[in-house]
Amino acid sequence: MTRNSDIAVETRRYLALSFPFLPIDRLRIRRPDLWAAGANGGDGPAIVVEPVRGAMRLAAVDADGLTIGLTPGMTLADARAREPELRVFDADPHADQDWLERLCDGCARYTPNAAPDGADGLMLDISGCGHLWGGEEALAAEAAARLERHGLRVRHAIAASPEAAHALARFPVPPAPDEEAAVRRLPVEALGLEEESAVALRRAGLRIVGDLAALPAATLAARFGEEAVDALHALLGLGHRPLRPRRPRPAVRIDRRFAEPLGSTAYALKILEEMAAEAGERLAERGEGGRRFEAVFFRSDGLAFPLRVETSLPVRDAPAILRLMRERIDALSDPIDPGFGFDMLRLTVSQAERLAPTQLALEGGEARREDSVAALVDRLSIRAGRARIQRLEPRDSHIPEQAQLALPAVESRTPGNWENAGEPDDPPMRPLHLFDPPQPIEVVAQVPDGPPHRFRWRRALHDITRFEGPERIAPEWWRAKDGGLEGESVGRTRDYYRVEDARGRRYWIFRHGLYGAEAAHPGWYIHGLFA
C-alpha cells in the first residue's frame, strides 16, 4: 500500500500456479489402477494422445518424454519411432478440467478470488492475503508445497498482473534483480501471440520482452499489429483485464480452521451446524434470509468437497439448513471421504433476500403452512434433482403450449397474472392435461368448417355427441417462422373445439389451417384432456 497526497493506492498481487503435467498427474493420482497397469503394455515415458485431423497426436508428455525429444503435437507414430515402450493414455479434457476446478476450489483456503488459468493452471488474487501466511512468498511456498506433497508437479510465480504471473510461471528466465527485470527477460513467446507472429518477431531480432519494450508503441503496432502492443502492455503491468474468480463474492462467509484435521464427517457436520447458526445471526442482523448455501470441506491434501443447497424461500434456521445438507450428502453417489482429515470448513451464503419477521400465532398459521410446503419442495428437489420438481409460470402468449413455462420449483417466485378462468360454476375453458406437442388424430366423419363427428386416436374410435366451438387462435404473425406442427414456413390458424364422446370423455381438439386459404386438407390434432 503506497500513499500519495492522502490517496491510498493498492497494488494488486497475483499468484500463478502452473501444472505442466496436469493430465499425466491426474491419471497417476486419480486413476492408480490404470496407471499401474501400464497402458498398452509399455513401461517407458507416459504420454497422452488425442485424435487431430485423422491422426493420433501427443497432447501431453511427462518429464522423461521431454528429455528424449517428445513434444506435444508430435504424431504417435513418430513418438513410437523414438521410444517403442511408451505408456499411452487417451486424452480426457473434461476430466482434466473437472480436476483443475477442484484444485481451484481447494485454493480458496488462500484467497476467495481464485480462477482457472487456461487448461493447465490457476490464478489467485492474493492482494491483502499475504500477511495471514507470513508474506506472499510464504503463501506461495505453502500452496506449492501442499500440492507437491500429494504428487502434483507445480510451478509458481507472483507478479503485479495476471499476465505477468502467468508468463513467469511457464517460461524460465535468468536470475533478475527484481520483478520488472524478470518480466523484461521473458522470451517473446510469453506474449501469447500466434506462432507466426512470434517467428516474425524473432526474425526481426526481437527475442525478449525487453527488446519490444524499447521500441515506440506506434512502431511496434505498425509492424506487428495492435495485439502485440496490448500483450506487451499487459505483461508490463500497464493494462490488464481484471480477474474473474470462479466463485462470486458471497453475502456471508464463515471459516473454521483446525490445528488437527477432522477425521469424521459426522463431527464436521456438527461444526457446520454451529457455523450455520452464526450465519443465521448475521443474516438476522441485516433482516435477510439465505436462498443458496454452500459448505466446502477442505481436505488436508488440497482437495475441496463443495455441497450446495438451494431453498425456495429465504431461511436462516440452522437445523433446516443442516437437514438439507444431510439430504444432499445422502443423495451423493460418491460419499465424502475425509481422507487424512478436513483442516478447514467454509460456509457461504451466495444469495440472500429480504426476510421480514413473522408472528405465526397472530397470522392464523398461514406462514407456517407456506413454510412447510417450501420445505417439502426443497427436500424433494435435493433428492430427485433440481429440475425434476417444477412449477408453472404464466407467459404473455396466446398460443396454448407457450402460455406457461415450467421452471424449477426452488427458483425465485415472480408474481404473474393467470388468465381468469371464468365463473366458478362454468366449465373450464382449458384442459387440465395439455399435450406438447399436440397429437395427430384421424378424422373419419367431418363437416367442412365444422367439428368432426367421429375420429380415431391411439387406434380407438370416438363418436362425438356434444361439442362447443370453434375458438379461433390466430398464429403469431410477427414471427417469420413458427416451427409449426407440419413444418410449414408460415403459421396456420387453429380452430379449437371442446368435444365429448359417447362415453362422456372430453377432449380439446383443433383443426390446423383454414380450408382453401391455408391448406387444401387441414390436419386435426388433440391438444388436451379435460377431467
Side-chain angles (χ1 to χ4, degrees):
M1 184 81 70
T2 61
R3 294 186 178 273
N4 185 15
S5 302
D6 297 332
I7 298 178
V9 180
E10 183 180 2
T11 301
R12 309 300 299 181
R13 303 296 290 171
Y14 297 91
L15 168 63
L17 299 173
S18 173
F19 308 101
F21 309 106
L22 178 69
I24 296 174
D25 288 343
R26 179 187 63 82
L27 288 169
R28 182 166 43 83
I29 298 172
R30 300 292 294 174
R31 295 296 306 274
D33 54 338
L34 182 62
W35 181 264
N40 295 341
D43 57 358
I47 61 173
V48 175
V49 298
E50 62 180 351
V52 178
R53 297 179 181 178
M56 298 300 293
R57 294 187 178 272
L58 275 61
V61 183
D62 68 356
D64 295 335
L66 294 176
T67 58
I68 63 174
L70 303 183
T71 58
M74 179 184 294
T75 63
L76 179 58
D78 292 341
R80 287 193 183 278
R82 296 196 180 196
E83 176 54 63
E85 298 296 327
L86 291 176
R87 298 162 58 90
V88 184
F89 302 91
D90 293 328
D92 191 350
H94 295 290
D96 294 339
Q97 181 66 23
D98 179 69
W99 175 248
L100 186 64
E101 291 178 354
R102 293 190 64 178
L103 293 175
C104 183
D105 292 338
C107 288
R109 69 177 70 238
Y110 306 111
T111 172
N113 299 326
D117 184 22
D120 62 347
L122 301 174
M123 186 64 63
L124 282 63
D125 184 351
I126 59 173
S127 305
C129 301
H131 68 281
L132 299 175
W133 304 85
E136 60 183 28
E137 292 294 343
L139 187 154
E142 201 281 335
R146 179 183 292 272
L147 295 169
E148 290 173 348
R149 282 197 301 268
H150 299 281
L152 277 169
R153 286 163 285 188
V154 58
R155 300 171 183 168
H156 69 276
I158 301 175
S161 69
E163 293 80 3
H166 173 95
L168 290 172
R170 288 163 174 79
F171 295 91
V173 296
D178 53 31
E179 178 183 316
E180 182 180 359
V183 172
R184 290 178 177 269
R185 295 180 183 183
L186 286 167
V188 293
E189 287 78 8
L191 295 172
L193 302 176
E194 296 181 357
E195 184 177 357
E196 295 80 2
S197 299
V199 172
L201 288 171
R202 285 193 170 274
R203 287 178 178 175
L206 306 173
R207 300 182 178 277
I208 61 175
V209 173
D211 296 338
L212 277 71
L215 296 177
T219 303
L220 187 62
R223 293 191 60 183
F224 304 103
E226 294 289 344
E227 295 81 3
V229 177
D230 294 340
L232 176 62
H233 287 174
L235 277 181
L236 298 178
L238 302 179
H240 62 85
R241 286 175 287 185
L243 182 67
R244 298 183 61 182
R246 171 170 159 77
R247 304 289 184 193
R249 179 168 296 181
V252 176
R253 191 187 78 181
I254 300 175
D255 293 344
R256 288 286 188 275
R257 301 179 184 273
F258 309 103
E260 295 292 334
L262 304 180
S264 170
T265 303
Y267 185 69
L269 289 176
K270 293 182 179 180
I271 303 298
L272 187 63
E273 186 171 6
E274 299 176 2
M275 299 167 63
E278 182 179 347
E281 294 175 358
R282 295 189 187 182
L283 291 171
E285 293 174 357
R286 299 158 52 175
E288 294 179 339
R291 286 283 317 281
R292 293 179 181 175
F293 300 85
E294 180 179 24
V296 185
F297 298 77
F298 292 92
R299 218 165 63 175
S300 57
D301 60 357
L303 294 183
F305 296 88
L307 288 179
R308 303 178 187 90
V309 297
E310 187 176 2
T311 61
S312 54
L313 293 176
V315 299
R316 52 175 178 251
D317 182 45
I321 299 171
L322 259 294
R323 281 196 299 269
L324 296 179
M325 289 290 181
R326 294 181 186 276
E327 291 281 354
R328 174 66 70 192
I329 293 176
D330 294 339
L332 293 176
S333 58
D334 187 12
I336 297 178
D337 180 15
F340 295 101
F342 304 115
D343 60 356
M344 177 178 168
L345 295 179
R346 172 172 294 169
L347 178 64
T348 60
V349 184
S350 58
Q351 180 179 350
E353 295 179 0
R354 188 69 182 173
L355 178 59
T358 58
Q359 295 181 355
L360 301 179
L362 299 180
E363 295 180 1
E366 290 296 330
R368 184 181 298 275
R369 287 197 294 269
E370 182 182 3
D371 291 346
S372 62
V373 173
L376 177 62
V377 169
D378 297 340
R379 296 183 65 182
L380 292 177
S381 298
I382 290 178
R383 288 186 179 183
R386 186 177 186 273
R388 295 293 184 89
I389 310 301
Q390 298 180 334
R391 62 181 176 84
L392 298 179
E393 180 177 330
R395 289 297 185 213
D396 187 13
S397 176
H398 66 278
I399 304 299
E401 63 268 23
Q402 300 177 9
Q404 57 192 12
L405 184 65
L407 298 175
V410 295
E411 289 188 359
S412 300
R413 294 186 175 92
T414 55
N417 296 323
W418 291 92
E419 183 180 355
N420 189 2
E423 298 297 330
D425 295 335
D426 291 343
M429 297 294 296
R430 293 291 183 265
L432 295 178
H433 181 81
L434 199 69
F435 293 112
D436 187 18
Q439 299 186 8
I441 59 177
E442 180 185 355
V443 174
V444 179
Q446 64 176 332
V447 178
D449 294 332
H453 296 296
R454 180 180 298 174
F455 67 91
R456 180 178 285 108
W457 176 50
R458 294 180 177 177
R459 297 183 296 181
L461 197 61
H462 301 267
D463 292 318
I464 296 177
T465 57
R466 293 191 297 178
F467 73 89
E468 184 178 1
E471 177 188 356
R472 179 159 294 180
I473 296 180
E476 296 177 339
W477 54 266
W478 56 90
R479 297 180 182 271
K481 296 181 180 180
D482 82 338
L485 298 173
E486 300 174 4
E488 70 278 5
S489 60
V490 180
R492 296 179 181 177
T493 304
R494 302 181 186 181
D495 283 343
Y496 280 87
Y497 295 89
R498 290 183 291 172
V499 301
E500 181 179 321
D501 65 4
R503 299 182 62 181
R505 295 171 294 192
R506 298 179 180 180
Y507 308 93
W508 201 39
I509 64 175
F510 69 91
R511 178 176 52 241
H512 194 221
L514 302 178
Y515 273 105
E518 296 179 352
H521 301 285
W524 284 89
Y525 295 86
I526 181 169
H527 206 166
L529 304 175
F530 292 93

